[in-house]
Amino acid sequence: MPIKSAGYMHEFLASRDVDYIESFDYFTATWIKKGQREDRLMYRHFFKQRPQKWLFNSALALQKRLGLSRGIPKDLAVQVGSQWWCLWHDTVEKILAFIRRRWDVKWFFKTTWIPDKTFFQTLVHHHVPTQEIKTRNVTFLIFSVYGLPVSFYNDHYDILHSQQSLFARKISPDATRLKSRLTALYLSPKSDFRSHKEGCICTILPPNRVALLSD
């Protein structure tokens, strides 16, 4: 949900000639904390990892046994980052035109694992000068120690709207008062927001609850 007013958000984005998207070098960045790295790209993934675990693992093992690895399109430097981003219309048009010409790139990412963390991140980096990319996320989120996004509740309103981001996720479906207050904030004429440093001090409570403290 938005955590700023509509007027503030429009002014914020219009005054900065940059695309907001996390874009880190896939092979050298520490963005991927654990699990597969090269295998996500080098092999073809046709099955979903969680609901089709046996098929996912068997297909990967078979490709390794048969030596069916593949190369990355030579003109691309693969990037990785959050799937939550905010791009200029012209940037999106360039990417759409590119994949209409480059079926090989489209097919490559279609069979990578978790392509929403690499597809746009890579193609934005390919088409937009580095100085015109703001490598930050305009959506405020926190992951638990279990690797799952935590949920925000009614008592998190003050913390959320004081973040530097424009949106926040995930809002608990039970947080009806929080959703009402954030909706009213979005529709309000408010334009002055006193933001803390990005993020906050947090304590994760099981299973997916978060206790937030102002930094």
Side-chain angles (χ1 to χ4, degrees):
M1 289 194 69
I3 55 176
K4 297 288 189 293
S5 65
Y8 176 90
M9 294 167 68
H10 282 285
E11 183 179 353
F12 178 92
L13 294 172
S15 64
R16 295 161 174 81
D17 193 14
V18 294
D19 289 297
Y20 288 93
I21 184 169
E22 287 187 349
S23 180
F24 304 103
D25 183 87
Y26 188 90
F27 296 100
T28 61
T30 58
W31 198 89
I32 299 175
K33 302 299 182 183
K34 60 181 181 178
Q36 297 182 14
R37 184 180 291 268
E38 288 81 3
D39 286 359
R40 298 188 188 198
L41 306 177
M42 292 174 57
Y43 298 99
R44 301 157 185 84
H45 300 275
F46 302 102
F47 304 101
K48 297 180 179 180
Q49 195 267 345
R50 289 182 180 175
Q52 300 172 302
K53 187 173 182 179
W54 185 87
L55 290 172
F56 179 91
N57 291 334
S58 298
L60 178 59
L62 180 62
Q63 291 179 75
K64 288 184 175 181
R65 189 178 304 123
L66 297 177
L68 297 178
S69 62
R70 61 178 178 176
I72 297 169
K74 296 186 182 299
D75 57 334
L76 295 183
V78 179
Q79 306 288 302
V80 65
S82 170
Q83 79 271 42
W84 297 93
W85 34 257
C86 186
L87 305 178
W88 280 101
H89 182 271
D90 288 348
T91 300
V92 176
E93 289 291 343
K94 289 177 182 177
I95 292 173
L96 291 175
F98 179 78
I99 62 174
R100 281 193 289 266
R101 301 192 309 269
R102 295 290 302 274
W103 62 268
D104 59 317
V105 172
K106 185 177 180 179
W107 175 248
F108 173 80
F109 281 105
K110 186 175 182 178
T111 52
T112 59
W113 188 41
I114 318 182
D116 57 336
K117 302 289 183 17
T118 55
F119 178 78
F120 281 97
Q121 295 78 1
T122 299
L123 296 189
V124 169
H125 184 81
H126 185 73
H127 287 91
V128 179
T130 302
Q131 64 271 20
E132 296 178 17
I133 299 174
K134 190 71 171 177
T135 305
R136 60 159 290 194
N137 195 344
V138 294
T139 299
F140 176 62
L141 55 96
I142 301 174
F143 282 91
S144 73
V145 293
Y146 308 105
L148 299 173
V150 302
S151 297
F152 299 114
Y153 294 84
N154 289 329
D155 54 340
H156 293 143
Y157 175 80
D158 290 335
I159 289 292
L160 291 182
H161 85 76
S162 66
Q163 296 301 315
Q164 294 179 9
S165 301
L166 304 179
F167 302 91
R169 72 180 293 262
K170 295 183 170 182
I171 309 299
S172 169
D174 298 324
T176 54
R177 187 162 60 90
L178 175 61
K179 288 187 281 188
S180 295
R181 295 181 73 184
L182 290 177
T183 299
L185 177 65
Y186 177 74
L187 297 174
S188 75
K190 183 176 174 63
S191 61
D192 56 324
F193 288 88
R194 178 177 173 271
S195 298
H196 293 292
K197 294 179 180 178
E198 192 70 19
C200 58
I201 300 172
C202 63
T203 300
I204 306 300
L205 305 174
N208 217 26
R209 185 71 160 87
V210 59
L212 303 179
L213 302 173
S214 174
D215 46 0

